[in-house]
Amino acid sequence: MAKLVETEEETLLAEAARSLLDKSAPLTHLRQMRDSGARSDPALWQEMAAAGWAGVLIPEAAGGVDMGHAAAHVLAREMGRTLAVSPFLSTAVMAATLLRQFDDATTRAKLEKIASGGLTYAFALDETAKFAPDSIRLTAQKRGNGYTLNGKRRFVVDGCDADRILLLAESEEGPCLFDFANTATQGLQRDALEMIDSRDAADLTFDEVEVAGDALLGAAGAGYDLLKPALEAGQAALAAETVGLSQAAFDLTSSYLKERKQFGTTIGSFQALQHRAAHLWCEIELTQSAVLNAGRILDEDPKAARLAVSVAKARATDTAQKSVQEGVQMHGGIGMTDAFDMGFYMKRARVAAEWLGDYGYHAGIVAQLRGF
């Protein structure tokens, strides 16, 4: 049975992560990036890589620290507290989980570059406004020793600045997974998106884009099976990041309740607000337990993690919405002004809710697996 309390090592990791983020990526850092128009911060990613974060799921033989998914969730949660912008989820979690399924010199070299901070990835998954990775219209047609890609992908997180793209396409043999350079390839159009949470994202259009045969990962037709572990790892880590932002938003609100006065007394002494705050605290604690459970199962029995991952992602999405909404309401009108930080948490929560499957998507999976 998964132990739903952090280990001593995880607590120490959280403290170290919080120290780095408070110094190098506080919330003011995101505000500065937004105001300057920057999509990413390569220097911050190098600092994270130097601390071992980029290699948290990469085997030691490939230069990583291989601490496991539960540890990756600790890092993601702390990033959620300060809304740090980095390719951690796409690269250190999803790409690393996918690539470590292969044991060849080329893949080991990629994993080594990821661990050192020298290689980043983006996953091109969505074709419509909703997440549906098994519904593929983008095609891969065999041509000579390679393939020609045609179609569109929307909302590709890290799609502008990532070094490489991982993409699932439909071929005559079935779903195929491709790994290719995100460069100025003929026929590939990148349209940067102005995201409300100030992160790097893009829409990609493929018009007769040619990729070499060695861009195909694994066997033709096995693409979705190869992608599935990476998706679950990413969904669970995103749930951890989302619960981190929920906790930070709650802390902001709690501090405000202790400081704001009405009629000569702090509003935190009003019983109605105490009840709402207590209920939200309980929701966050339950969600944190769901995230811990998902991390433990991913480490111990990854093939049985689907239910735990979807429970964590669904709960995290719902809890974050409650946390930011309560935060705005309890702050009053100032909660939505740009001078206060609550709006930044609300925006990130909204984007995180859609990325890698919204509440309805994951609730549907839970219902199906539980036989409802």
Side-chain angles (χ1 to χ4, degrees):
M1 180 180 291
K3 187 179 181 182
L4 303 184
V5 225
E6 282 193 349
T7 64
E8 182 179 355
E9 291 79 8
E10 288 165 352
T11 301
L12 292 173
L13 178 62
E15 292 173 355
R18 195 170 302 182
S19 176
L20 186 154
L21 292 166
D22 286 345
K23 176 178 69 74
S24 300
L27 194 53
T28 52
H29 180 258
L30 175 63
R31 188 183 288 273
Q32 291 165 357
M33 287 182 61
R34 183 205 62 179
D35 293 344
S36 68
R39 293 187 303 259
S40 59
D41 185 351
L44 174 62
W45 180 236
Q46 290 305 313
E47 189 173 355
M48 291 178 173
W53 297 8
V56 67
L57 293 177
I58 292 176
E60 294 181 15
V65 293
D66 204 10
M67 295 179 70
H69 292 278
H73 294 176
V74 170
L75 298 176
R77 185 189 69 214
E78 296 307 315
M79 291 183 210
R81 288 180 182 272
T82 66
L83 303 182
V85 174
S86 80
F88 179 77
L89 287 177
S90 298
T91 301
V93 175
M94 295 177 69
T97 300
L98 191 152
L99 293 173
R100 66 181 293 163
Q101 298 176 80
F102 303 96
D103 186 18
D104 57 83
T106 301
T107 303
R108 282 195 297 274
K110 290 176 182 175
L111 289 171
E112 288 172 0
K113 290 192 70 176
I114 289 175
S116 68
L119 185 64
T120 57
Y121 273 89
F123 278 70
L125 301 172
D126 296 340
E127 292 190 331
T128 65
K130 291 296 182 181
F131 179 74
D134 53 349
S135 178
I136 311 167
R137 287 179 285 188
L138 192 147
T139 61
Q141 184 176 359
K142 191 82 167 111
R143 184 169 296 178
N145 293 326
Y147 290 84
T148 302
L149 305 178
N150 284 284
K152 296 182 178 181
R153 286 293 153 90
R154 303 178 61 182
F155 183 38
V156 180
V157 177
D158 301 319
C160 290
D161 295 340
D163 299 310
R164 299 186 71 81
I165 297 287
L166 282 159
L167 174 143
L168 196 65
E170 189 66 43
S171 72
E172 293 180 356
E173 297 95 338
C176 291
L177 189 61
F178 295 96
D179 176 353
F180 54 92
N182 184 24
T183 55
T185 305
Q186 183 176 358
L188 174 57
Q189 178 180 329
R190 245 178 253 94
D191 295 312
L193 300 175
E194 292 188 14
M195 302 297 294
I196 60 171
D197 67 339
S198 306
R199 292 191 60 168
D200 171 18
D203 286 343
L204 305 182
T205 302
F206 297 84
D207 183 9
E208 296 292 311
V209 174
E210 295 183 3
V211 294
D214 60 4
L216 176 67
L217 293 179
Y224 187 74
D225 291 336
L226 292 170
L227 181 63
K228 185 173 176 288
L231 285 181
E232 293 180 359
Q235 288 159 344
L238 181 55
E241 180 183 297
T242 306
V243 82
L245 79 84
S246 298
Q247 291 171 334
F250 175 76
D251 291 343
L252 274 179
T253 304
S254 297
S255 296
Y256 184 74
L257 293 179
K258 295 172 184 176
E259 297 169 0
R260 178 76 167 100
K261 289 187 176 182
Q262 284 185 352
F263 311 112
T265 184
T266 56
I267 61 175
S269 64
F270 299 157
Q271 192 175 63
L273 296 185
Q274 290 177 351
H275 287 174
R276 286 167 62 179
H279 175 71
L280 181 55
W281 182 86
C282 292
E283 289 293 311
I284 293 172
E285 289 297 304
L286 285 170
T287 302
Q288 173 64 4
S289 294
V291 171
L292 279 169
N293 182 56
R296 298 283 186 263
I297 296 178
L298 280 168
D299 284 330
E300 297 166 8
D301 189 8
K303 292 183 178 179
R306 176 68 274 172
L307 177 61
V309 167
S310 282
V311 167
K313 180 62 166 69
R315 276 208 62 94
T317 296
D318 184 59
T319 301
Q321 181 179 3
K322 292 174 181 174
S323 184
V324 297
Q325 286 179 348
E326 288 283 43
V328 168
Q329 289 181 17
M330 292 189 192
H331 276 79
I334 62 172
M336 283 302 292
T337 64
D338 194 63
F340 285 78
D341 293 334
M342 189 59 67
F344 286 87
Y345 288 103
M346 176 171 275
K347 292 170 184 176
R348 180 63 62 83
R350 189 68 192 91
V351 174
E354 295 296 329
W355 191 22
L356 301 178
D358 62 10
Y359 179 88
Y361 176 87
H362 288 284
I365 290 176
V366 172
Q368 180 183 13
L369 293 177
R370 299 300 295 172
F372 297 147

